[in-house]
């Protein structure tokens, strides 16, 4: 796929153009940087639907669209200059909050796109501006250490949205310590907190204290906390804010093997015992690509799971129950 990236008819050079599959069944993806004339070219993309992101590497602001790859083709991208602006204030004093982080998470994209949400910092007067925002629905989140986050849902058209006002209340948040369940030593974790509506309330590694604990800036409420650590099984726990002293014990987990008799790669989902998608890496919704033959995933938390492959063209889907045990390999056939 090749084409040009322009804005108001002018070429945009030095932009990164990334094609990211919207389905787990579509392997790979790719990226390319535009030249001074705005041209880009990406080879080796498999047929399928893609989220396409154009990133200004100097400001790290981006524009998102979508494209369906059917073969070699020309796809020109016209960046539309919508903007989201506003200010962040202290809910009690009404004073502006400087250096608060404001991010825009698309409400229309798959879970992996949450990791690519535009993020800016407020100025001394509490104001912020995010340029080149694609038309669509967004969760706008403001956060700062010592405050609980606030999230607003907005809809952006091709014209700039009305200025927003986000008010943060001082909160102690949630203190979490990630440990190795075998010896109790502290681990560096990456956290994703989802609120009751499934919106991302926090994402990051935080700043560890001397005891290894991390304080997550969450407002009062209940959350689904996803904890990720390299070579350990992802843990999903329920937490309430404010709270202190929560410990999340991590183990390497077990392995899951899925044998597929299909001749084609299928999009599947790994559901835990509660019916939620089991997060793995950037796939927070449990999406998995099941390729012909043997598939294997390591570092799966012990528990009961369901491997689901939706049907197509009116056909019934397939689901298989499987139990994963610590240090063991579970196998299921689709």
């Amino acid at each position: 796929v090749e084409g040009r990236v322009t804005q108001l008819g002018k070429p945009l050079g030095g932009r990164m153009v990334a094609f990211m599959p919207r389905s787990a069944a579509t392997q790979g993806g790719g990226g390319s940087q535009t030249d001074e004339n705005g041209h880009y070219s990406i080879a080796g993309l498999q047929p399928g639907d893609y989220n396409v992101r154009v990133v200004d590497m100097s400001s790290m602001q981006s524009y998102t669209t979508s494209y369906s790859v059917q073969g070699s083709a020309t796809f020109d991208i016209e960046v539309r200059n919508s903007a989201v602006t506003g200010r962040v204030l202290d809910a009690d004093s009404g004073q502006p909050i400087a250096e608060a982080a404001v991010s825009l998470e698309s409400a229309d994209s798959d879970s992996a796109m949450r990791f690519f949400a535009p993020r800016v910092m407020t100025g001394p007067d509490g104001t912020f501006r995010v340029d080149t925002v694609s038309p669509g629905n967004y969760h706008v989140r403001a956060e700062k250490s010592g405050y609980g986050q606030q999230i607003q849902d907005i809809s952006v058209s091709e014209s700039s949205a009305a200025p927003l006002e986000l008010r943060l209340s001082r909160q102690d948040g949630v203190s979490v310590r990630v440990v190795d369940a075998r010896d109790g030593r502290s681990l560096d974790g990456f956290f994703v907190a989802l609120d009751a509506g499934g919106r991302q309330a926090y994402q990051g590694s935080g700043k560890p204290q001397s005891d290894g604990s991390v304080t997550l800036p969450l407002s009062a409420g209940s959350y689904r906390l996803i904890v990720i650590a390299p070579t350990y099984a992802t843990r999903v726990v329920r937490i309430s804010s404010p709270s202190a002293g929560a410990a999340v014990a991590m183990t390497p987990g077990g392995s899951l093997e899925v044998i597929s008799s299909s001749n084609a790669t299928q999009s599947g989902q790994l559901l835990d015992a509660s019916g939620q998608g089991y997060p793995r890496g950037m796939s927070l919704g449990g999406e998995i690509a099941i390729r012909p033959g043997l598939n294997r995933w390591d570092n799966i938390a012990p528990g009961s799971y369901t491997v689901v492959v939706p049907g197509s063209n009116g056909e019934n889907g397939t689901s298989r129950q499987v139990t994963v045990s610590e240090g063991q390999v579970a196998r299921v056939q689709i």
Side-chain angles (χ1 to χ4, degrees):
V1 178
E2 61 181 5
R4 292 182 77 219
V5 179
T6 58
Q7 186 176 43
L8 299 176
K10 296 180 180 180
L12 295 180
R15 267 48 171 192
M16 176 59 68
V17 180
F19 278 63
M20 294 171 284
R22 301 183 67 177
S23 167
T26 304
Q27 301 179 40
S32 170
Q33 186 166 314
T34 60
D35 62 19
E36 60 183 8
N37 296 312
H39 288 110
Y40 74 91
S41 179
I42 302 174
L45 294 174
Q46 291 191 355
D49 295 327
Y50 290 80
N51 288 313
V52 182
R53 186 170 288 267
V54 179
V55 183
D56 183 340
M57 301 306 292
S58 61
S59 66
M60 293 308 295
Q61 297 199 12
S62 61
Y63 173 82
T64 304
T65 183
S66 60
Y67 184 69
S68 181
V69 175
Q70 303 298 332
S72 296
T74 298
F75 177 48
D76 293 328
I77 303 171
E78 172 65 23
V79 174
R80 287 164 286 185
N81 191 21
S82 296
V84 173
T85 63
R87 60 179 182 165
V88 179
L89 304 175
D90 186 296
D92 296 322
S93 68
Q95 294 299 307
I97 299 177
E99 297 184 354
V102 179
S103 57
L104 270 71
E105 175 197 330
S106 173
D108 304 320
S109 299
D110 57 60
S111 61
M113 293 292 286
R114 301 179 188 207
F115 290 93
F116 299 94
R119 181 183 175 97
V120 298
M121 305 299 289
T122 58
D125 58 355
T127 61
F128 65 88
R129 179 183 180 91
V130 184
D131 291 311
T132 62
V133 178
S134 312
N137 299 309
Y138 292 86
H139 307 310
V140 182
R141 183 178 73 251
E143 62 187 48
K144 184 173 181 176
S145 179
Y147 291 85
Q149 89 292 344
Q150 187 188 9
I151 303 175
Q152 284 191 20
D153 294 336
I154 65 168
S155 182
V156 177
S157 64
E158 293 189 18
S159 59
S160 297
L164 302 175
E165 185 174 279
L166 297 102
R167 291 179 172 265
L168 305 185
S169 298
R170 292 190 177 275
Q171 294 281 347
D172 293 333
V174 178
S175 175
V176 181
R177 181 169 176 254
V178 182
V179 299
D180 187 310
R182 298 166 296 184
D183 56 21
R185 61 190 171 91
S186 296
L187 302 174
D188 292 330
F190 186 87
F191 306 94
V192 180
L194 306 179
D195 67 11
R199 303 178 303 183
Q200 185 171 288
Y202 177 81
Q203 171 191 309
S205 55
K207 184 178 181 180
Q209 305 298 314
S210 57
D211 64 351
S213 65
V214 173
T215 298
L216 309 183
L218 297 173
S219 59
S222 298
Y223 298 88
R224 183 171 179 251
L225 182 65
I226 300 168
V227 184
I228 303 170
T231 72
Y232 290 84
T234 298
R235 284 287 311 277
V236 181
V237 297
R238 296 286 179 178
I239 60 172
S240 295
S241 178
S243 63
V248 179
M250 309 284 282
T251 67
S255 298
L256 171 63
E257 292 185 348
V258 176
I259 302 174
S260 173
S261 58
S262 174
N263 294 322
T265 299
Q266 300 172 287
S267 292
Q269 190 176 24
L270 183 62
L271 304 180
D272 63 19
S274 69
Q276 299 269 10
Y278 178 69
R280 296 188 64 259
M282 292 192 302
S283 176
L284 300 184
E287 300 88 355
I288 54 176
I290 304 176
R291 300 177 176 87
L294 178 64
N295 300 263
R296 177 172 172 136
W297 297 278
D298 297 320
N299 302 127
I300 305 294
S304 299
Y305 295 90
T306 303
V307 179
V308 178
V309 179
S312 59
N313 300 323
E315 298 179 356
N316 293 327
T318 302
S319 65
R320 295 288 186 270
Q321 305 290 323
V322 63
T323 299
V324 176
S325 301
E326 184 71 33
Q328 303 298 312
V329 179
R331 177 174 290 188
V332 67
Q333 188 160 357
I334 293 292

